[in-house]
């Protein structure tokens, strides 16, 4: 009996030591866990003005962004959806928004987002649907969108986009490509060569 009790006591020691080391590591500011998807979303937030405070719950000190409003994560705590339509957001799209490798749905329609579409959004490997319609984005449709091999729905209608639709984008197997209500040259997708 005595020996058994001793053994189990000793058996718990390494676990306790490990736990203490872990607690010490987590308290060390330089070793605090950072979450790259949370950082990307926080950079996106910081480039926008948010009069309705829809992004108020986006607190970058949390372990991951999965509890933030308007964010959906999968069972591995990776961000899969960003739902922020009709939220009065103004400002421009941060290039860091492209650093969400598991994002499937980017729904930002009906805001007041302006500026150019960052070419980095072409890095969203998992993206199925992008809705930027009814905003004020300008410039060209990024050629990098040709890398969005999972994309099925691309809503860019009712913005200030110019130029033509890149061949790389028309070559994608999209179910919806809506560019109406822009200044896009849709005459056979041939860029002007003056
Ligand atoms: C594309 O957008 C325009 C303008 O908002 C809309 O009228 C039209 O129905 C849309 N097309 C499709 C296929 O949904």
């Amino acid at each position: 009996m005595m020996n058994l009790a001793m053994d189990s006591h000793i058996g718990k020691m390494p676990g306790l030591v490990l736990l203490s080391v872990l607690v010490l590591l987590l308290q060390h500011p330089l070793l605090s866990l950072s979450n790259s998807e949370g950082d990307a979303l926080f950079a996106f937030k910081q480039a926008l003005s948010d009069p309705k405070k829809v992004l108020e719950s986006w607190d970058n000190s949390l372990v991951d962004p999965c509890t933030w409003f308007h964010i959906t994560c999968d069972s591995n705590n990776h961000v899969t959806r960003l739902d922020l339509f009709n939220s009065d957001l103004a400002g421009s799209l941060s290039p860091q928004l492209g650093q969400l490798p598991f994002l499937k749905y980017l729904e930002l329609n009906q805001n007041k987002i302006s500026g150019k579409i960052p070419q980095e959004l072409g890095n969203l490997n998992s993206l199925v649907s992008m809705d930027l319609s009814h905003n004020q984005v300008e410039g060209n449709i990024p050629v990098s969108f040709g890398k969005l091999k999972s994309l099925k729905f691309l809503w860019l209608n009712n913005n200030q986009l110019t130029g033509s639709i890149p061949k790389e984008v028309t070559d994608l197997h999209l179910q919806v490509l809506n560019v109406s209500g822009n200044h896009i040259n849709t005459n056979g997708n041939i860029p002007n060569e003056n």
Side-chain angles (χ1 to χ4, degrees):
M1 289 301 272
M2 196 67 176
N3 275 346
L4 259 176
M6 284 280 282
D7 281 351
S8 71
H9 181 67
I10 289 165
K12 277 176 191 159
M13 285 304 282
L16 277 174
V17 171
L18 206 67
L19 193 68
S20 319
V21 170
L22 202 67
V23 165
L24 279 175
L25 283 177
L26 288 174
Q27 284 171 343
H28 196 289
L30 289 177
L31 291 169
S32 69
L33 297 176
S34 83
N35 179 281
S36 60
E37 293 173 59
D39 291 346
L41 288 167
F42 202 73
F44 162 77
K45 169 185 174 167
Q46 288 190 306
L48 295 172
S49 80
D50 176 21
K52 282 208 267 182
K53 302 205 181 299
V54 296
L55 306 178
E56 204 167 29
S57 67
W58 290 26
D59 175 355
N60 208 21
S61 70
L62 299 176
V63 149
D64 64 47
C66 299
T67 55
W68 300 359
F69 288 177
H70 313 291
I71 302 288
T72 306
C73 287
D74 63 15
S75 56
N76 297 316
N77 291 354
H78 290 305
V79 175
T80 56
R81 294 191 68 109
L82 183 48
D83 288 287
L84 282 166
F85 48 87
N86 197 11
S87 300
D88 265 348
L89 297 171
S92 57
L93 293 174
S94 164
Q96 272 133 300
L97 198 53
Q99 295 168 13
L100 295 167
F102 302 92
L103 191 70
K104 290 184 177 159
Y105 297 89
L106 177 58
E107 311 294 325
L108 297 174
N109 44 304
Q110 298 170 72
N111 285 292
K112 294 166 185 161
I113 297 169
S114 58
K116 296 199 167 137
I117 303 175
Q119 53 99 10
E120 286 83 354
L121 296 196
N123 297 332
L124 294 168
N125 284 326
S126 307
L127 204 64
V128 173
S129 172
M130 183 191 304
D131 194 342
L132 301 179
S133 66
H134 297 271
N135 277 288
Q136 293 152 22
V137 290
E138 60 181 45
N140 293 332
I141 299 172
V143 173
S144 64
F145 279 11
K147 294 189 290 178
L148 298 169
K149 300 300 181 201
S150 306
L151 197 66
K152 294 284 175 232
F153 306 94
L154 181 53
W155 307 91
L156 297 173
N157 49 290
N158 303 88
N159 278 291
Q160 307 292 331
L161 295 167
T162 50
S164 53
I165 305 171
K167 184 182 182 303
E168 291 82 351
V169 173
T170 53
D171 283 351
L172 293 169
H173 302 290
L174 295 174
Q175 287 174 30
V176 171
L177 171 58
N178 197 334
V179 297
S180 75
N182 283 284
H183 311 291
I184 300 262
N185 166 26
T186 49
N187 297 326
N189 307 322
I190 302 160
N192 287 326
E193 286 180 320
N194 295 324

